[in-house]
Amino acid sequence: MSRRNLDRILDTLIWLSAFFSVAVLLGILGFVFYKGLGKISLHFLTASYKTDLSGGIWPMIVTTVYLVGLSLLFVTPLGIGAAIYLEEYAKEGKLTRLITFATESLAGIPSIIYGLFGMIFFTTVLGFGFSLLSGALTMMILLLPTMLRTTQEALRSIPREYKEASLALGASRLRTLFKVILPSALPGITTGMLLSIGRVVGETAAIYLPLGMYYEIPKSVFDSGRTLSVHLYLLAKEGISFEHAYATAAVLVVVVLLMNQLTKFFKSTMEVKK
Amino acid sequence: MNCIEVNNLDFYYGDTKALKDISMEIKEKSITALIGPSGCGKSTFLKCLNRMNDLIEGTKVDGEILIYGEDIYKGDVDITALRRNVGMVFQKPNPFPMSIYDNIAYGPKSHGEKRKDVLMEIVETSLKKAALWEETKDRLNKSALGLSGGQQQRLCIARALAVEPKILLMDEPTSALDPMATQRIEELMEELGKDYSIVIVTHSMQQAARISDETAFFYLGELMEYDKTRRIFEKPKRSETERYITGRFG
């Protein structure tokens, strides 16, 4: 085969793979929106769920927001604290290597294992029951590696000169941390939080095992609830209503896309700052 | 009068001895230049004077450094107070990513000053001392990162002055600047040398000759020669000094 022909074949293959990736995404989005958008109405978005399918998904939206809020409340301070310890305080050694290894291993565990652990440990051993609290604590463990790593990256990207300048003025280490280092790391930390939000919104297995699936709005952190993704899973798996499932899926896709755009926006502002 | 007295100072990075038996006295309200080829220990020496070397792991100090009579490496020394007394300006201008006002006010605030009117006064005086007030008085709330390199370095000098130090350490403060900006900083240093004791590390022999009263020549971690600047440049005692200042090595 001539060199020119080989080039042409390779060009076509590369073009095809690119086309395929885009086509798959557009295909899925198009399919979900085509099947789902027709069902979406103000009533569907704001009414409570009825087993006869005359209601909507309002409780699921609220539960999702609750779970996102509570999970972030737990994971953000923990992740930032651990990142600060590793980057600013700990000396490179066995302990830091162990922590890094542990968090990296955490990131590789399938999410249903987290769900199983959460169901046994938080709901049963600690007695929190199927509840927002159990769900959020489980998500905290699942999100910790992401939160830790994005914060670490953010802290690493801060010029050492800022720290030196602050210390050379006689400012304390703690003041340097809170007034100079953390504010500069904020865009990176925000990116980690947004990634976490996306993860909570999209997760199912790690959520319904400790959170349960009750279809009303939880009244306290000790109540069970049902997030959008779990709702979608049930509607489809139990064959309750594919119409509702597609509509829920459309809402979910819009939420996730919005999250991704927000993440990109924050990332770009962080890069400009550097 | 001397503001700094160094006696038999040894400094180690791990097992490497970076400074060998340095003893010198630095005069108050004058400009002392530290010169020497790269890796000769002049920057390391400078950073011993405000204990910035503490940030590097595995370093060790022997001997004593007295600043106004107090040994700054004794166990109970208040490093915050030391660094307030001994300010530092770095090689690369390093303003915080904050407004001009906040950059200057950061130091005094760190030391507990909360009164708005006092802070404003400190900001104005410091910027005036650093010859930056006229250029910045209308944009105090704008980001410091919008200033030019030379302006940023004068801002860093103003920021250092805002905590009222007696001694100002400068680590090659003009090496990242163009000749015009360098000239302005040099004029500023000469002005500040009347009220502050300035120790400056410089790679530029001309700069040392132009602005300093005393010059110390470091070579391979040793203090080879230390004298009046004119004497060093006109009649150096040691052949290494002569070869360095005439540009035959380094």
Short mmCIF file of all heavy atoms in Angstrom, two decimals, chain A residues 90-92 161-162 164-172 175-176 179-180 184 273, chain B residues 52 55 57 80 83 88 90 92 94-98 106 109-111 159-160 163:
data_model
loop_
_atom_site.label_atom_id
_atom_site.label_comp_id
_atom_site.label_asym_id
_atom_site.label_seq_id
_atom_site.Cartn_x
_atom_site.Cartn_y
_atom_site.Cartn_z
N ALA A 90 2.56 18.38 57.41
CA ALA A 90 3.22 17.09 57.56
C ALA A 90 4.57 17.07 56.87
O ALA A 90 4.76 17.71 55.84
CB ALA A 90 2.34 15.99 56.98
N LYS A 91 5.51 16.37 57.45
CA LYS A 91 6.77 16.14 56.77
C LYS A 91 6.60 14.93 55.87
O LYS A 91 5.93 13.97 56.24
CB LYS A 91 7.88 15.89 57.79
CG LYS A 91 8.35 17.15 58.44
CD LYS A 91 9.55 16.90 59.34
CE LYS A 91 9.91 18.19 60.06
NZ LYS A 91 10.67 17.98 61.26
N GLU A 92 7.20 15.00 54.70
CA GLU A 92 7.14 13.88 53.76
C GLU A 92 7.70 12.64 54.47
O GLU A 92 8.82 12.65 54.97
CB GLU A 92 8.00 14.23 52.54
CG GLU A 92 7.95 13.24 51.41
CD GLU A 92 6.69 13.38 50.56
OE1 GLU A 92 6.13 14.47 50.52
OE2 GLU A 92 6.31 12.36 49.95
N GLU A 161 6.12 32.08 47.00
CA GLU A 161 6.49 33.45 47.38
C GLU A 161 5.43 34.12 48.27
O GLU A 161 5.78 34.93 49.11
CB GLU A 161 6.69 34.31 46.13
CG GLU A 161 7.97 34.04 45.36
CD GLU A 161 7.82 32.90 44.35
OE1 GLU A 161 6.70 32.37 44.22
OE2 GLU A 161 8.82 32.54 43.71
N TYR A 162 4.15 33.75 48.07
CA TYR A 162 3.11 34.36 48.91
C TYR A 162 3.34 33.99 50.37
O TYR A 162 3.26 34.82 51.26
CB TYR A 162 1.72 33.86 48.51
CG TYR A 162 1.23 34.33 47.16
CD1 TYR A 162 0.07 33.80 46.61
CD2 TYR A 162 1.91 35.31 46.46
CE1 TYR A 162 -0.39 34.23 45.38
CE2 TYR A 162 1.45 35.74 45.22
CZ TYR A 162 0.30 35.19 44.68
OH TYR A 162 -0.16 35.60 43.48
N GLU A 164 6.13 32.94 51.77
CA GLU A 164 7.36 33.57 52.27
C GLU A 164 7.12 35.03 52.64
O GLU A 164 7.55 35.49 53.69
CB GLU A 164 8.46 33.50 51.20
CG GLU A 164 9.10 32.14 51.08
CD GLU A 164 10.16 32.12 50.00
OE1 GLU A 164 10.24 33.08 49.21
OE2 GLU A 164 10.91 31.14 49.94
N ALA A 165 6.42 35.74 51.74
CA ALA A 165 6.18 37.17 51.99
C ALA A 165 5.43 37.36 53.30
O ALA A 165 5.77 38.22 54.10
CB ALA A 165 5.38 37.76 50.84
N SER A 166 4.42 36.51 53.51
CA SER A 166 3.62 36.64 54.72
C SER A 166 4.43 36.35 55.97
O SER A 166 4.42 37.11 56.94
CB SER A 166 2.41 35.71 54.65
OG SER A 166 1.72 35.72 55.86
N LEU A 167 5.19 35.25 55.94
CA LEU A 167 5.99 34.89 57.11
C LEU A 167 7.07 35.93 57.38
O LEU A 167 7.38 36.24 58.53
CB LEU A 167 6.61 33.50 56.92
CG LEU A 167 5.61 32.35 56.89
CD1 LEU A 167 6.30 31.05 56.51
CD2 LEU A 167 4.90 32.20 58.21
N ALA A 168 7.66 36.47 56.29
CA ALA A 168 8.73 37.46 56.46
C ALA A 168 8.22 38.74 57.09
O ALA A 168 8.99 39.52 57.63
CB ALA A 168 9.38 37.77 55.11
N LEU A 169 6.90 38.97 57.02
CA LEU A 169 6.33 40.16 57.67
C LEU A 169 6.06 39.90 59.15
O LEU A 169 5.57 40.77 59.85
CB LEU A 169 5.04 40.57 56.99
CG LEU A 169 5.20 41.24 55.62
CD1 LEU A 169 3.87 41.31 54.91
CD2 LEU A 169 5.78 42.62 55.77
N GLY A 170 6.34 38.68 59.59
CA GLY A 170 6.11 38.35 60.98
C GLY A 170 4.70 37.82 61.24
O GLY A 170 4.29 37.68 62.38
N ALA A 171 3.95 37.54 60.15
CA ALA A 171 2.63 36.97 60.35
C ALA A 171 2.78 35.52 60.81
O ALA A 171 3.72 34.84 60.41
CB ALA A 171 1.82 37.03 59.06
N SER A 172 1.82 35.05 61.63
CA SER A 172 1.91 33.68 62.13
C SER A 172 1.55 32.70 61.01
O SER A 172 1.03 33.08 59.98
CB SER A 172 0.96 33.49 63.31
OG SER A 172 -0.37 33.56 62.83
N ARG A 175 -2.26 32.60 60.47
CA ARG A 175 -2.76 33.76 59.73
C ARG A 175 -2.39 33.65 58.26
O ARG A 175 -3.20 33.95 57.37
CB ARG A 175 -2.17 35.04 60.33
CG ARG A 175 -2.79 36.27 59.74
CD ARG A 175 -2.31 37.56 60.38
NE ARG A 175 -2.56 38.68 59.50
CZ ARG A 175 -3.72 39.30 59.39
NH1 ARG A 175 -4.73 38.92 60.14
NH2 ARG A 175 -3.88 40.30 58.55
N THR A 176 -1.15 33.21 57.99
CA THR A 176 -0.72 33.01 56.61
C THR A 176 -1.65 32.04 55.91
O THR A 176 -2.07 32.26 54.78
CB THR A 176 0.71 32.44 56.61
OG1 THR A 176 1.55 33.31 57.36
CG2 THR A 176 1.25 32.33 55.20
N LYS A 179 -5.34 33.82 55.66
CA LYS A 179 -5.48 35.09 54.95
C LYS A 179 -4.82 35.06 53.57
O LYS A 179 -5.17 35.84 52.71
CB LYS A 179 -4.85 36.22 55.79
CG LYS A 179 -5.57 36.50 57.08
CD LYS A 179 -6.87 37.23 56.80
CE LYS A 179 -7.71 37.27 58.07
NZ LYS A 179 -9.00 37.91 57.86
N VAL A 180 -3.83 34.21 53.39
CA VAL A 180 -3.11 34.23 52.11
C VAL A 180 -3.30 32.93 51.33
O VAL A 180 -3.71 32.93 50.18
CB VAL A 180 -1.60 34.50 52.33
CG1 VAL A 180 -0.86 34.43 51.01
CG2 VAL A 180 -1.40 35.85 52.98
N SER A 184 -6.27 32.09 48.14
CA SER A 184 -5.73 31.83 46.80
C SER A 184 -6.15 30.46 46.30
O SER A 184 -6.20 30.23 45.09
CB SER A 184 -4.21 31.92 46.81
OG SER A 184 -3.77 33.08 47.45
N LYS A 273 -6.04 33.42 37.18
CA LYS A 273 -5.40 33.98 38.37
C LYS A 273 -3.92 33.64 38.46
O LYS A 273 -3.12 34.43 38.91
CB LYS A 273 -6.11 33.48 39.63
CG LYS A 273 -7.09 34.49 40.17
CD LYS A 273 -7.45 34.15 41.60
CE LYS A 273 -8.06 35.35 42.30
NZ LYS A 273 -8.50 35.00 43.63
N MET B 52 14.62 33.03 57.92
CA MET B 52 13.78 32.48 56.86
C MET B 52 14.25 31.08 56.48
O MET B 52 13.52 30.31 55.87
CB MET B 52 13.79 33.38 55.62
CG MET B 52 12.89 34.59 55.71
SD MET B 52 11.17 34.23 56.15
CE MET B 52 10.49 33.93 54.52
N LEU B 55 12.37 27.70 57.23
CA LEU B 55 11.34 27.08 56.37
C LEU B 55 11.89 25.86 55.63
O LEU B 55 11.13 25.03 55.16
CB LEU B 55 10.81 28.07 55.34
CG LEU B 55 10.14 29.34 55.85
CD1 LEU B 55 9.58 30.14 54.70
CD2 LEU B 55 9.03 28.99 56.83
N GLU B 57 13.69 22.36 55.42
CA GLU B 57 13.94 21.24 56.32
C GLU B 57 15.40 20.82 56.30
O GLU B 57 16.08 20.94 55.29
CB GLU B 57 13.08 20.05 55.91
CG GLU B 57 11.73 20.03 56.59
CD GLU B 57 10.85 18.93 56.05
OE1 GLU B 57 11.33 17.79 55.99
OE2 GLU B 57 9.70 19.22 55.69
N THR B 80 8.20 36.02 65.40
CA THR B 80 7.31 37.05 64.88
C THR B 80 7.89 38.44 65.12
O THR B 80 7.96 39.28 64.22
CB THR B 80 5.94 36.93 65.57
OG1 THR B 80 5.44 35.63 65.30
CG2 THR B 80 4.97 37.95 65.07
N ARG B 83 11.03 39.01 62.92
CA ARG B 83 10.77 39.32 61.51
C ARG B 83 10.09 40.67 61.34
O ARG B 83 10.15 41.29 60.28
CB ARG B 83 9.93 38.20 60.88
CG ARG B 83 10.75 36.94 60.73
CD ARG B 83 10.02 35.87 59.98
NE ARG B 83 10.82 34.65 59.95
CZ ARG B 83 10.30 33.43 59.97
NH1 ARG B 83 9.00 33.28 59.99
NH2 ARG B 83 11.08 32.38 59.94
N MET B 88 12.06 41.97 54.95
CA MET B 88 12.74 41.35 53.82
C MET B 88 12.03 41.67 52.50
O MET B 88 10.82 41.68 52.41
CB MET B 88 12.78 39.83 54.01
CG MET B 88 13.63 39.14 52.96
SD MET B 88 14.05 37.47 53.49
CE MET B 88 15.67 37.29 52.77
N PHE B 90 12.16 40.38 48.46
CA PHE B 90 12.64 39.21 47.73
C PHE B 90 13.08 39.54 46.31
O PHE B 90 12.82 40.63 45.79
CB PHE B 90 11.55 38.14 47.71
CG PHE B 90 11.20 37.61 49.07
CD1 PHE B 90 10.32 38.29 49.91
CD2 PHE B 90 11.79 36.45 49.55
CE1 PHE B 90 10.01 37.82 51.18
CE2 PHE B 90 11.48 35.97 50.81
CZ PHE B 90 10.59 36.66 51.62
N LYS B 92 12.07 38.17 43.39
CA LYS B 92 10.95 38.40 42.49
C LYS B 92 9.92 39.20 43.26
O LYS B 92 9.59 38.84 44.38
CB LYS B 92 10.35 37.06 42.07
CG LYS B 92 10.07 36.93 40.60
CD LYS B 92 9.61 35.53 40.25
CE LYS B 92 8.11 35.42 40.35
NZ LYS B 92 7.63 34.05 40.30
N ASN B 94 6.79 39.99 44.97
CA ASN B 94 5.78 39.01 45.35
C ASN B 94 4.63 39.62 46.12
O ASN B 94 4.32 39.23 47.23
CB ASN B 94 6.41 37.87 46.16
CG ASN B 94 7.09 38.37 47.43
OD1 ASN B 94 7.21 39.58 47.63
ND2 ASN B 94 7.50 37.47 48.29
N PRO B 95 3.93 40.60 45.49
CA PRO B 95 2.75 41.13 46.18
C PRO B 95 1.70 40.04 46.32
O PRO B 95 1.64 39.12 45.50
CB PRO B 95 2.26 42.25 45.25
CG PRO B 95 2.83 41.93 43.92
CD PRO B 95 4.11 41.20 44.17
N PHE B 96 0.88 40.14 47.38
CA PHE B 96 -0.23 39.20 47.53
C PHE B 96 -1.28 39.51 46.46
O PHE B 96 -1.38 40.65 46.02
CB PHE B 96 -0.88 39.36 48.91
CG PHE B 96 0.03 39.08 50.05
CD1 PHE B 96 0.19 40.02 51.07
CD2 PHE B 96 0.73 37.88 50.14
CE1 PHE B 96 1.02 39.76 52.14
CE2 PHE B 96 1.56 37.63 51.21
CZ PHE B 96 1.71 38.57 52.22
N PRO B 97 -2.07 38.50 46.06
CA PRO B 97 -3.14 38.78 45.10
C PRO B 97 -4.30 39.51 45.78
O PRO B 97 -5.39 38.99 45.88
CB PRO B 97 -3.55 37.39 44.60
CG PRO B 97 -3.12 36.45 45.67
CD PRO B 97 -1.96 37.08 46.38
N MET B 98 -3.99 40.70 46.27
CA MET B 98 -5.01 41.49 46.97
C MET B 98 -4.89 42.93 46.46
O MET B 98 -4.04 43.22 45.62
CB MET B 98 -4.74 41.54 48.48
CG MET B 98 -4.53 40.23 49.17
SD MET B 98 -3.95 40.58 50.85
CE MET B 98 -3.74 38.90 51.45
N TYR B 106 -1.61 44.40 55.45
CA TYR B 106 -1.53 43.01 55.92
C TYR B 106 -0.60 42.86 57.13
O TYR B 106 -0.96 42.22 58.13
CB TYR B 106 -1.04 42.11 54.78
CG TYR B 106 -0.95 40.66 55.15
CD1 TYR B 106 -2.06 39.84 55.08
CD2 TYR B 106 0.25 40.11 55.60
CE1 TYR B 106 -1.99 38.51 55.44
CE2 TYR B 106 0.34 38.77 55.96
CZ TYR B 106 -0.79 37.98 55.87
OH TYR B 106 -0.70 36.67 56.23
N LYS B 109 -1.89 44.60 60.33
CA LYS B 109 -3.04 43.83 60.82
C LYS B 109 -2.58 42.54 61.49
O LYS B 109 -3.14 42.13 62.50
CB LYS B 109 -3.99 43.49 59.66
CG LYS B 109 -4.95 44.59 59.28
CD LYS B 109 -5.92 44.05 58.23
CE LYS B 109 -6.80 45.13 57.65
NZ LYS B 109 -7.45 44.66 56.41
N SER B 110 -1.55 41.91 60.92
CA SER B 110 -1.04 40.67 61.51
C SER B 110 -0.53 40.92 62.92
O SER B 110 -0.50 40.02 63.74
CB SER B 110 0.12 40.12 60.68
OG SER B 110 -0.30 39.82 59.38
N HIS B 111 -0.08 42.15 63.17
CA HIS B 111 0.43 42.45 64.49
C HIS B 111 -0.62 43.13 65.36
O HIS B 111 -0.29 43.80 66.35
CB HIS B 111 1.70 43.29 64.38
CG HIS B 111 2.79 42.56 63.66
ND1 HIS B 111 3.41 41.45 64.19
CD2 HIS B 111 3.33 42.73 62.44
CE1 HIS B 111 4.31 40.99 63.33
NE2 HIS B 111 4.27 41.74 62.25
N ARG B 159 5.42 47.45 51.75
CA ARG B 159 4.78 46.46 52.62
C ARG B 159 5.72 46.08 53.76
O ARG B 159 5.30 45.94 54.91
CB ARG B 159 4.43 45.22 51.79
CG ARG B 159 3.72 44.13 52.54
CD ARG B 159 3.33 43.00 51.63
NE ARG B 159 4.50 42.33 51.06
CZ ARG B 159 4.43 41.38 50.14
NH1 ARG B 159 3.27 40.99 49.67
NH2 ARG B 159 5.52 40.82 49.68
N ALA B 160 7.01 45.93 53.44
CA ALA B 160 7.99 45.60 54.48
C ALA B 160 8.13 46.76 55.47
O ALA B 160 8.25 46.54 56.67
CB ALA B 160 9.34 45.26 53.84
N VAL B 163 5.53 47.52 58.76
CA VAL B 163 5.57 46.97 60.12
C VAL B 163 6.72 47.60 60.92
O VAL B 163 7.07 47.12 62.00
CB VAL B 163 5.71 45.42 60.12
CG1 VAL B 163 4.47 44.78 59.53
CG2 VAL B 163 6.94 44.95 59.37
#
